[in-house]
Amino acid sequence: MQIHNLSEKNSVLNHFLSQIRDVNTHKDSMRFRRNIERIGEIMAYELSKELQYKAIDVQTPLGIKHTTEIKDQLILCSILRAGLQLHLGFLNYFDNAENGFVSAYRHHPNNDDTFNILVEYQAIADLNNKDLLLIDPMLATGQSIVAVYNKLMERGTPKSIHIAVVIAAPEGIEFLEKNLPDNCHLWVASIDDKLNEHSYIVPGLGDAGDLAYGSKL
């Protein structure tokens, strides 16, 4: 798997990321959502450099401009609900993309820290020969992304697979490397230190879904 760690170079991406981590701004859900969206836009721009393009001619008022446009059909697929705002950031740039949504959540059958991933809902188009971009803000254990990937592969075979996350734990990256094809691309805004005993990313930022949309039962 090819890993693109976008925080290795200083940019406004790190500025937005530091704000959404800060506990002093966590009560401002609108600011949190907007910064997640901005991070998605920046990641979309960086990812766009890896896509394939075709030559086109554009008629301007004064002549013809020889330029390029994205060649292949993109499918943006976010994991509900936390992925919605990051999804919007990518859609702001890839406005001709098809869109898909999948639900995946941690199920704790024994009401303790052990869990499995349940995938219960999916709405997505045919994936065959398209560029799939799987979106989820937090890559903790990696189990959700792998479970969703396996479910999506029942709907077709994409030409390329890109995974976009805001914050990743090393354990989650290792799990993806063991369970996803070698030609996958992982785009990450920051790689953090570790997972804690509850499988949450440290230092991380908390629960991205709750911070964006409010607490859940």
Side-chain angles (χ1 to χ4, degrees), residues 46-59:
E46 295 295 338
L47 188 151
S48 72
K49 300 174 184 178
E50 296 291 324
L51 300 178
Q52 294 186 352
Y53 291 78
K54 62 182 179 182
I56 62 169
D57 292 334
V58 175
Q59 178 69 59

Side-chain angles (χ1 to χ4, degrees), residues 119-171:
V119 179
E120 293 188 339
Y121 170 84
Q122 58 176 319
I124 193 163
D126 177 21
L127 298 175
N128 285 308
N129 204 35
K130 299 175 183 176
D131 295 307
L132 173 64
L133 175 54
L134 185 56
I135 300 167
D136 194 12
M138 311 297 284
L139 171 56
T141 67
Q143 294 181 46
S144 293
I145 288 177
V146 170
V148 168
Y149 168 82
N150 289 334
K151 196 70 174 179
L152 291 178
M153 291 307 99
E154 298 174 4
R155 304 293 294 270
T157 304
K159 185 170 70 172
S160 68
I161 301 165
H162 297 266
I163 299 165
V165 302
V166 176
I167 299 175
E171 295 92 331

Side-chain angles (χ1 to χ4, degrees), residues 62-120:
L62 300 175
I64 300 292
K65 173 62 180 176
H66 305 294
T67 184
T68 60
E69 68 178 9
I70 295 173
K71 179 180 179 180
D72 297 316
Q73 179 63 51
L74 285 169
I75 296 184
L76 310 180
C77 181
S78 64
I79 298 178
L80 300 173
R81 65 181 167 154
L84 289 174
Q85 207 65 30
L86 189 62
H87 185 116
L88 181 58
F90 278 91
L91 188 59
N92 288 344
Y93 275 36
F94 301 136
D95 47 12
N96 290 323
E98 295 181 89
N99 296 268
F101 303 92
V102 179
S103 72
Y105 65 94
R106 295 182 180 187
H107 174 59
H108 298 265
N110 302 317
N111 294 319
D112 55 20
D113 290 334
T114 62
F115 63 88
N116 50 48
I117 302 297
L118 297 184
V119 179
E120 293 188 339

Side-chain angles (χ1 to χ4, degrees), residues 2-19:
Q2 186 170 347
I3 300 172
H4 307 266
N5 183 2
L6 302 181
S7 67
E8 291 179 338
K9 295 182 179 180
N10 280 324
S11 75
V12 71
L13 176 67
N14 291 336
H15 176 80
F16 295 143
L17 187 55
S18 67
Q19 290 183 348

Side-chain angles (χ1 to χ4, degrees), residues 27-42:
K27 292 183 180 180
D28 190 345
S29 58
M30 183 172 68
R31 184 176 182 183
F32 184 88
R33 290 194 301 271
R34 180 64 182 117
N35 276 7
I36 289 286
E37 182 181 345
R38 287 166 164 170
I39 290 170
E41 291 173 345
I42 295 167

